[in-house]
Amino acid sequence: MGVDVSYETGVAIVCIDNPPVNAMSEAVLSSLHDVVAGISSRRDIRVVVFSGASKAAFLSGADLTELPLLLADPELLGRRMSDVGSLYQLIADLPQVTIAAVGASAMGGGLELLLVCDFVVASERAKFGLPEVSIGLMPGAGGTQRLFQRIPSHHAREMLLLGAPIGAEQALRLGLISRMCPREEVEEQSLEMARQLAGLPAIAVQSIKRAIAAAVSSQPLDVGLDVEREEFLRVANSADAQTGPAAFLERRKPVFEHK
């Protein structure tokens, strides 16, 4: 129970397992932070897949059994929110590509987690929402900010201010998720995407990810273009940049060394 990690070539699979609803308890938060921090410096890991073991939720957000104690102690609550925010920023800043494999609903902190992932593969039956307002609270781990980067603003306002969830089909139309599939295929489709990404040259993939981050930030366009040029030159000087074109001209599959 907690956070389980498994590995295959180039891929780490991080599974949140906190029955019955995969709440973000203090123990889960601490374990997840340690796991992500450890993965961040591993050059052999090129893709990270986040999943949930519970059939009820990918991640349900705050542990409601801990919430009364947190609400009674503003200082403790402030530290907890800071820790959650630091975790999500750590995931957002990972050099590896991240995939959220959402087999069940992602509500509250669960939705905020998938908002920091590069791709979201979700079950056709999954629900997505930020329902905090319905219990007198509000999102506090990036939901009010990152949701506007992912979907049109009027839909983001509706999700935040009404607290009503949306289904997977609408989430796909809005761009909140990347792919929708039957629940029993979520894990395999996520791993298939992960394996494909892990087989691509890591230097190029990670440079593209950094350039994308500049594109979706609030920086002016010329700043983003400078980042793109810098990353292009970094990629062009890599060994894989020599391997790829040569293999193309020789009509063979390239073998990338990720350096």
Side-chain angles (χ1 to χ4, degrees):
M1 186 175 73
V3 179
D4 300 319
V5 190
S6 58
Y7 300 93
E8 60 175 69
T9 303
V11 180
I13 302 100
V14 179
C15 182
I16 301 167
D17 184 9
N18 185 25
V21 294
N22 267 9
M24 179 72 89
S25 65
E26 183 178 4
V28 169
L29 172 60
S30 178
S31 295
L32 196 53
H33 185 279
D34 290 346
V35 166
V36 173
I39 289 173
S40 65
S41 60
R42 290 187 55 172
R43 295 189 62 184
D44 60 318
I45 299 300
R46 297 183 287 281
V47 185
V48 184
V49 178
F50 292 95
S51 67
S54 172
K55 293 183 178 180
F58 163 71
L59 177 66
S60 62
D63 188 334
L64 294 183
T65 65
E66 296 178 352
L67 196 56
L69 178 62
L70 292 170
L71 292 175
D73 187 337
E75 185 176 342
L76 181 62
L77 178 61
R79 288 200 302 270
R80 175 67 64 85
M81 295 312 300
S82 177
D83 289 343
V84 175
S86 295
L87 168 64
Y88 285 4
Q89 190 60 50
L90 182 63
I91 295 172
D93 291 340
L94 280 173
Q96 295 92 347
V97 178
T98 52
I99 301 172
V102 184
S105 295
M107 309 294 287
L111 178 55
E112 289 173 313
L113 174 56
L114 69 83
L115 286 173
V116 297
C117 291
D118 297 307
F119 297 99
V120 181
V121 179
S123 163
E124 60 193 2
R125 296 185 179 182
K127 300 288 185 182
F128 305 86
L130 293 164
E132 288 87 346
V133 68
S134 65
I135 59 170
L137 294 169
M138 65 173 285
T144 65
Q145 305 302 303
R146 293 189 175 103
L147 189 62
F148 282 87
Q149 296 179 343
R150 190 68 68 94
I151 68 174
S153 61
H154 55 290
H155 290 288
R157 285 187 175 89
E158 188 168 334
M159 290 182 68
L160 287 160
L161 293 171
L162 291 178
I166 63 173
E169 289 190 4
Q170 185 176 3
L172 183 65
R173 288 197 303 271
L174 294 177
L176 183 60
I177 65 177
S178 315
R179 295 185 184 180
M180 180 181 71
C181 60
R183 181 170 186 163
E184 60 272 16
E185 296 179 14
V186 169
E187 182 178 352
E188 184 53 39
Q189 288 207 23
S190 298
L191 287 175
E192 180 183 348
M193 179 185 287
R195 291 164 186 148
Q196 182 180 359
L197 287 160
L200 295 170
I203 292 178
V205 169
Q206 292 176 10
S207 284
I208 291 171
K209 179 171 175 173
R210 286 190 290 269
I212 290 171
V216 299
S217 72
S218 58
Q219 299 177 103
L221 176 60
D222 59 340
V223 175
L225 291 173
D226 287 342
V227 172
E228 182 186 69
R229 280 190 290 269
E230 291 172 5
E231 295 298 338
F232 175 84
L233 292 173
R234 186 197 311 275
V235 172
N237 287 321
S238 69
D240 285 340
Q242 307 299 318
T243 299
F248 178 80
L249 292 173
E250 295 168 12
R251 298 184 180 181
R252 59 177 173 82
K253 185 177 181 179
V255 179
F256 295 117
E257 299 178 30
H258 308 290
K259 61 182 184 179

